[in-house]
Amino acid sequence: MTQPALDFVIAALERIREKDSRAPRASRTALALLQAAPVAASLREACRSPTERRLEAPDKADSLAAVRERVGACTKCAHLACSRTQTVFGVGNPDADLMFIGEAPGADEDREGEPFVGRAGQLLTRILKAMNFAREDVYIANILKCRPDMPAGSFGNRPPTPTEMQTCRPYLMEQIEIIQPSVLVALGAVAVEGLLGTRGTMRELRGRWHTYNSIPLMITYHPAYLLRNQAPSEKRKVWEDMLQVLERLEQPISDRQRNYFL
Ligand code: SF4
């Protein structure tokens, strides 16, 4: 069989696989001829079902576990490796459609080893619940995997420096690459700077779609900002951003949700 003829057969089989619920079929003789052809490998690839492809793909949880192990032993920022209680890798569903990105672990996260578990994290969990999601449905990670260190005897948290974020960013890129979410949400201007490398005010950035590696990216306020600023107008802005996320994910939105104020 000539190359153009084989290309035609492969294209036809691909169309059947995409549109028809039945698997493509061929006679034994036709299969024997096709098997002998030099492009048999590409034909076999075209005939594999989506399930077969999924089964052969590396497991996302395993891939994430491998990155987590490297992060756990990371000492690229010597000062943070010395001061951290533990690294804070990320949490949630490896197959999540929706992934949230914050800036860095605080004291609570450093103690628990999980992102967004303090007061701001509890507010994020409430926002997710209002969206009809549980924490286990989405994936949550930070730009930085170690808590930014604080001077001895001082309390509170500090934002990560641009250098710290640049150093740690490849781990987040790997997480996104493995999870392949349909939508990303960056929480706060520092997370945006860590992810996109651009600085901007939240007034300029939030409420509209951006992209990261072709993935739609919504930028909204960090929940900690809402804890500091309890004005209903600010809470409503975040909720409007989340409504856009739900629309993008093609999730049903009730009237109650449309009129909701956080
Ligand atoms: S912040 Fe990231 S790059 Fe720096 S030591 Fe921690 S895990 Fe490594």
Side-chain angles (χ1 to χ4, degrees), residues 25-221:
R25 299 180 75 86
S27 71
R28 282 178 192 279
T29 315
L31 278 176
L33 284 168
L34 291 167
Q35 292 280 358
V39 290
S42 59
L43 180 61
R44 278 196 295 276
E45 171 68 17
C47 291
R48 283 190 311 142
S49 69
T51 310
E52 284 173 316
R53 289 174 190 226
R54 258 198 313 279
L55 286 173
E56 284 174 26
D59 183 74
K60 290 184 180 183
D62 288 348
S63 302
L64 284 174
V67 184
R68 180 193 286 266
E69 202 172 316
R70 279 190 279 122
V71 166
C74 181
T75 55
K76 283 196 271 182
C77 317
H79 58 301
L80 301 186
C82 290
S83 63
R84 73 188 178 209
T85 304
Q86 58 193 315
T87 53
V88 180
F89 181 66
V91 69
N93 180 0
D95 286 307
D97 281 334
L98 179 57
M99 179 168 176
F100 287 82
I101 298 167
E103 56 186 61
D108 296 319
E109 289 75 21
D110 175 68
R111 191 173 52 247
E112 302 286 329
E114 185 173 322
F116 284 92
V117 292
R119 283 182 66 225
Q122 287 159 19
L123 178 52
L124 177 62
T125 304
R126 289 206 297 278
I127 293 170
L128 287 172
K129 199 170 167 205
M131 297 171 79
N132 282 338
F133 288 127
R135 273 173 78 96
E136 300 75 38
D137 295 329
V138 303
Y139 198 88
I140 307 171
N142 284 312
I143 304 281
L144 221 67
K145 310 305 186 201
C146 297
R147 183 190 180 208
D149 56 347
M150 297 291 289
S154 62
F155 296 98
N157 300 310
R158 70 163 172 86
T161 66
T163 305
E164 289 167 345
M165 289 196 287
Q166 218 179 340
T167 310
C168 203
R169 186 171 177 269
Y171 293 130
L172 178 71
M173 290 167 69
E174 284 191 75
Q175 287 174 297
I176 297 171
E177 183 67 27
I178 292 166
I179 296 165
Q180 293 179 30
S182 305
V183 171
L184 287 165
V185 176
L187 299 165
V190 178
V192 175
E193 187 183 344
L195 189 64
L196 303 180
T198 52
R199 276 172 186 262
T201 64
M202 289 305 289
R203 190 189 292 263
E204 298 160 349
L205 296 168
R206 65 148 286 276
R208 60 189 176 84
W209 289 103
H210 306 252
T211 54
Y212 170 81
N213 276 1
S214 307
I215 303 172
L217 167 70
M218 177 55 68
I219 294 171
T220 196
Y221 288 112

